[in-house]
């Protein structure tokens, strides 16, 4: 079994494209394949945990920054009913009094899993409440079982939970940060206290899956069932609308220094004017290029030269095609709250995808098989250009093939020459959490400046707060970025033979590229039906690439319907 210290010293471990669980969850008899990953007799990576990992800080980032295909599991809309109104406006308590022996009572009528008539009962449950929790857990297991029939390779953990527990459970995907920094942050939370010395509630991370589609399916299944298995959710920032609309999330209040958050990132956690999620890290597409290569200054030049991209059939395809569409004259279509009409989809988006086809069949042909890690491997093997997320910088900086003499790296990073997708992960509190107050405190801790700095300097994730890059809301030009290496930030000298990579100069280069790219970043469509849209958009794009798509009118109608939650096919 891998210890916490082992995890803190391991290199960045990108997720596998097939959704296999991390290496430490392999059975003792698993045989490494050519890549060194354990495989069972069928050739599929196996998860032997059967449930959650041992108590203690666990890896918990979403698999890829904007990972695999997503499938929607939407509960019937509850808006417009009195019950739904309570669910949507149920306020997460402000930072609670640490001296209190239990979280504050909810207002009369704000009934949750632990309330009756507005009175909070804490861990002492009635027999009826216990039976109800058991039933909810069983339903959650059944829901996940149905999902596993659709995705038989899903490494689902058991979903049954003790609704009377005192510890906090954070559910997310596999940590791809350098040396498991999200686990390190949870360990810090567990070791620290409130200002008056009162200890924090113990928290533990549960890895749901490597792939974002399976993360989405399990989190949605648990929340839809009313299960209390999870307190804090680590979500792709495109899920906020769906989860908030369905009543899965608590509204978040009293964020420390909200103006310090990058505004576009903070907006990804909002729905109908309320804050339901808080940015954990942001993501923007960046251009990696080898020493001696001049990065293209125009999008058309980048397409002509060819680069390692993510065109496999998963969320990365949606991201990469959207970036091309926006840079091919349709920058105000399929972004944010803008509802693309069929004319714009047929007259501007469809032709842009058609023009991309020649590139996908030419210089980008290899990328039709690539996800993030595949692109990193191709770039490390000698390709000159790559589009990827910020976390790839630290992964490459620790790759021996990408290091020259001394601290010099064999590559550089710059913003993409045009618009990029605004990605990232958000933190949210489950509407069914037995511990909403402490959960909100944990969200505030993980999204604070200190945590964001550590995620950037030590883990390679782009921070969502200006202050983590030495900036302010009024002074946030790329040239103003300030960065500290991990050893300097943490006050621990680098170990002999293990130089501090990336170093301060390299982190500053990455920070400048991130800030510049943020100025060009656009959000994906904000809709409670995003998983339907993404799956449909990918299917249509692939048909255009393969020459089997229908007309522009058909493309426009199908994509417009998907934005409204009506799946169809091109």
């Amino acid at each position: 079994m891998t210890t916490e210290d082992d995890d803190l010293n391991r290199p960045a471990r990108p997720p596998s494209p097939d959704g296999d669980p991390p290496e430490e969850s392999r059975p003792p008899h698993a045989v490494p394949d050519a890549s060194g990953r354990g495989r069972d007799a069928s050739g599929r990576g196996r998860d032997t945990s059967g449930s959650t990992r041992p108590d203690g800080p666990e890896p918990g980032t979403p698999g890829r920054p904007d990972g695999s295909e997503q499938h929607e599991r939407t509960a019937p809309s509850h808006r417009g009913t009195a019950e739904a109104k309570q669910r949507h406006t149920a306020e997460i308590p402000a930072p609670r009094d640490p001296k209190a022996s239990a979280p504050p009572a909810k207002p009369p009528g704000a009934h949750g899993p632990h309330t009756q008539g507005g009175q909070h009962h804490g861990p002492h449950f009635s027999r009826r409440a216990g039976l109800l929790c058991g039933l909810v857990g069983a339903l959650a297991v059944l829901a996940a079982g149905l999902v596993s029939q659709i995705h038989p390779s899903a490494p689902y953990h058991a979903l049954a939970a003790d609704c009377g527990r005192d510890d906090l459970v954070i559910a997310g995907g596999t940590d791809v940060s350098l040396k498991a920094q999200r686990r390190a942050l949870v360990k810090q939370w567990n070791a620290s206290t409130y200002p008056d010395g009162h200890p924090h509630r113990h928290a533990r991370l549960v890895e749901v899956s490597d792939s974002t589609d399976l993360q989405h399916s399990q989190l949605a299944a648990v929340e839809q069932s009313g299960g209390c298995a999870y307190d804090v959710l680590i979500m792709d920032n495109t899920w906020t609308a769906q989860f908030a609309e369905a009543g899965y999330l608590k509204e978040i209040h009293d964020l420390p220094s909200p103006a310090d958050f990058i505004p576009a990132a903070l907006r990804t956690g909002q729905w109908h004017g309320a804050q339901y999620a808080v940015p954990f890290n942001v993501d923007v597409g960046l251009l990696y290029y080898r020493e001696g290569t001049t990065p293209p200054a125009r999008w058309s030049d980048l397409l002509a030269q060819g680069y390692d991209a993510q065109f496999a059939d998963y969320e990365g395809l949606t991201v990469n095609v959207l970036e091309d569409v926006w840079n091919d004259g349709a920058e105000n279509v399929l972004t944010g709250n803008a509802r693309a009409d069929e004319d714009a989809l047929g007259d501007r988006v469809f032709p842009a995808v058609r023009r991309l086809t020649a590139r996908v069949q030419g210089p980008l042909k290899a990328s039709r098989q690539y996800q993030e890690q595949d692109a990193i491997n191709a770039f490390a093997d000698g390709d000159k250009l790559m589009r990827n997320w910020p976390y790839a910088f630290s992964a490459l900086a620790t790759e021996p093939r990408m290091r020259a003499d001394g601290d010099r790296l064999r590559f550089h990073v710059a913003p993409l020459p045009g618009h990029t997708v605004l990605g990232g992960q958000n933190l949210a509190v489950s509407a069914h959490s037995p511990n909403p107050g402490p959960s909100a405190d944990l969200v505030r801790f993980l999204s604070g400046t200190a945590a964001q700095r550590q995620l950037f300097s030590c883990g390679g994730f782009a921070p969502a707060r200006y202050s983590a890059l030495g900036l302010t809301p009024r002074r946030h030009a790329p040239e103003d970025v300030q960065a500290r290496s991990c050893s300097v930030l943490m006050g621990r000298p680098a170990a002999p033979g293990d130089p501090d990579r990336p170093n301060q100069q390299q982190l500053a280069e990455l920070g400048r590229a991130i800030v510049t790219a943020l100025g060009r970043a656009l959000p994906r469509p904000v809709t409670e039906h995003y998983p339907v849209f993404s799956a449909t958009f990918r299917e249509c794009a692939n048909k255009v690439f393969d020459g089997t798509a229908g007309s522009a009118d058909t493309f426009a109608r199908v994509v417009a319907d998907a934005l409204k939650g009506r799946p169809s096919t091109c």
Side-chain angles (χ1 to χ4, degrees), residues 55-422:
D55 281 356
E58 304 285 7
T61 54
R64 286 163 286 276
D66 280 278
S68 303
E69 179 181 354
Q70 303 165 347
H71 296 281
E72 185 180 43
R73 285 179 161 264
T74 310
S77 177
H78 300 290
R79 296 188 66 216
T81 66
E83 179 182 355
K85 186 174 181 180
Q86 288 182 349
R87 296 180 74 183
H88 281 284
T89 60
E91 178 177 335
I92 288 182
R96 64 184 180 85
D97 180 0
K99 299 178 182 179
S101 60
K106 296 182 180 179
H111 301 290
H114 290 244
T115 60
Q116 184 176 6
Q119 184 178 358
H120 197 290
H121 291 271
H124 304 291
F125 272 50
S126 67
R127 182 180 181 85
R128 180 180 299 176
L131 291 173
L132 177 60
C133 270
L135 176 60
V136 165
L139 289 173
V141 172
L142 176 61
L146 293 174
V147 174
S148 67
Q149 295 301 311
I150 301 173
H151 302 285
S153 64
Y156 281 113
H157 300 287
L159 300 180
D162 174 14
C163 294
R165 58 184 163 76
D166 288 330
D167 64 336
L168 307 178
V169 178
I170 310 165
T174 305
D175 193 346
V176 296
S177 65
L178 191 63
K179 298 183 180 179
Q181 292 306 313
R182 288 189 169 172
R183 176 181 293 194
L185 286 174
V186 174
K187 185 175 182 179
Q188 291 171 23
W189 162 269
N190 289 333
S192 59
T193 65
Y194 287 98
D196 70 343
H198 191 82
H200 288 146
R201 290 279 186 96
H202 184 271
R204 54 191 173 95
L205 282 163
V206 173
E207 287 184 339
V208 173
S209 170
D210 283 350
S211 78
T212 302
D213 65 329
L214 299 181
Q215 296 167 35
H216 174 272
S217 295
Q218 180 163 334
L219 296 187
V222 171
E223 296 304 318
Q224 186 176 16
S225 71
C228 58
Y230 305 141
D231 296 284
V232 175
L233 310 179
I234 303 177
M235 314 191 313
D236 188 278
N237 66 15
T238 60
W239 304 349
T240 302
Q242 179 195 358
F243 278 52
E245 177 70 13
Y248 298 163
L249 308 178
K250 291 280 190 181
E251 190 174 336
I252 294 179
H253 298 271
D254 302 312
L255 278 178
S257 305
D260 186 38
F261 283 102
I262 295 166
L266 192 62
R267 284 194 294 270
T268 65
Q270 297 171 359
W271 182 240
H272 292 316
Q275 196 77 42
Y276 287 97
V278 182
F280 200 7
N281 66 275
V282 297
D283 267 317
V284 284
L286 300 176
L287 180 63
Y288 293 82
Y289 60 100
R290 281 185 166 267
E291 276 187 326
T293 301
T294 301
R298 298 184 302 177
W299 189 263
S300 58
D301 294 334
L302 178 62
L303 288 177
Q305 291 184 40
Y307 59 103
D308 297 321
Q310 297 82 43
F311 281 95
D313 191 7
Y314 77 116
E315 179 64 18
L317 177 59
T318 299
V319 166
N320 279 254
V321 174
L322 281 176
E323 287 179 344
D324 180 76
V325 165
W326 293 337
N327 289 296
D328 191 16
E331 67 276 4
N332 59 346
V333 184
L334 293 178
T335 178
N337 292 309
R339 289 293 178 258
D341 58 37
E342 293 189 24
D343 288 341
L345 290 169
D347 296 341
R348 299 170 65 190
V349 175
F350 181 78
V353 179
R354 285 283 297 271
R355 286 189 288 271
L356 180 61
T357 299
R359 304 301 186 187
V360 168
Q361 294 174 349
L364 299 177
K365 185 176 182 179
S367 291
R368 288 201 74 180
Q369 309 301 319
Y370 289 174
Q371 297 189 18
E372 279 85 356
Q373 182 58 31
D374 303 308
I376 290 174
N377 291 339
F379 184 69
D381 282 341
D383 288 354
K384 294 183 177 180
L385 298 168
M386 176 184 68
R387 180 258 178 233
N388 219 313
W389 305 107
Y391 88 98
F393 190 94
S394 293
L396 289 167
T398 57
E399 165 60 51
R401 291 174 293 173
M402 304 306 294
R403 298 202 300 266
D405 296 335
D407 287 339
R408 196 176 95 249
L409 300 177
R410 299 186 186 275
F411 71 95
H412 294 281
V413 66
L416 284 170
H419 293 295
T420 178
V421 160
L422 175 68

Side-chain angles (χ1 to χ4, degrees), residues 342 532 556-568:
E342 293 189 24
V532 173
R557 174 180 53 78
V558 168
V559 173
D561 283 348
L563 287 166
K564 300 172 185 175
R566 298 196 292 265
S568 186

Side-chain angles (χ1 to χ4, degrees), residues 4-60:
E4 291 173 2
D5 289 339
D6 292 335
D7 280 309
L8 293 177
N9 289 295
R10 72 184 180 190
R13 176 169 48 83
S16 68
D18 58 2
D20 285 343
E23 293 173 4
E24 58 262 37
S25 63
R26 303 279 187 241
H29 57 274
V31 180
D33 61 10
S35 67
R37 296 176 62 86
R39 298 281 167 177
D40 63 15
S42 68
R44 186 185 306 283
R46 297 180 57 197
D47 182 351
T48 60
S49 64
S51 181
T52 60
R53 296 175 182 268
D55 281 356
E58 304 285 7

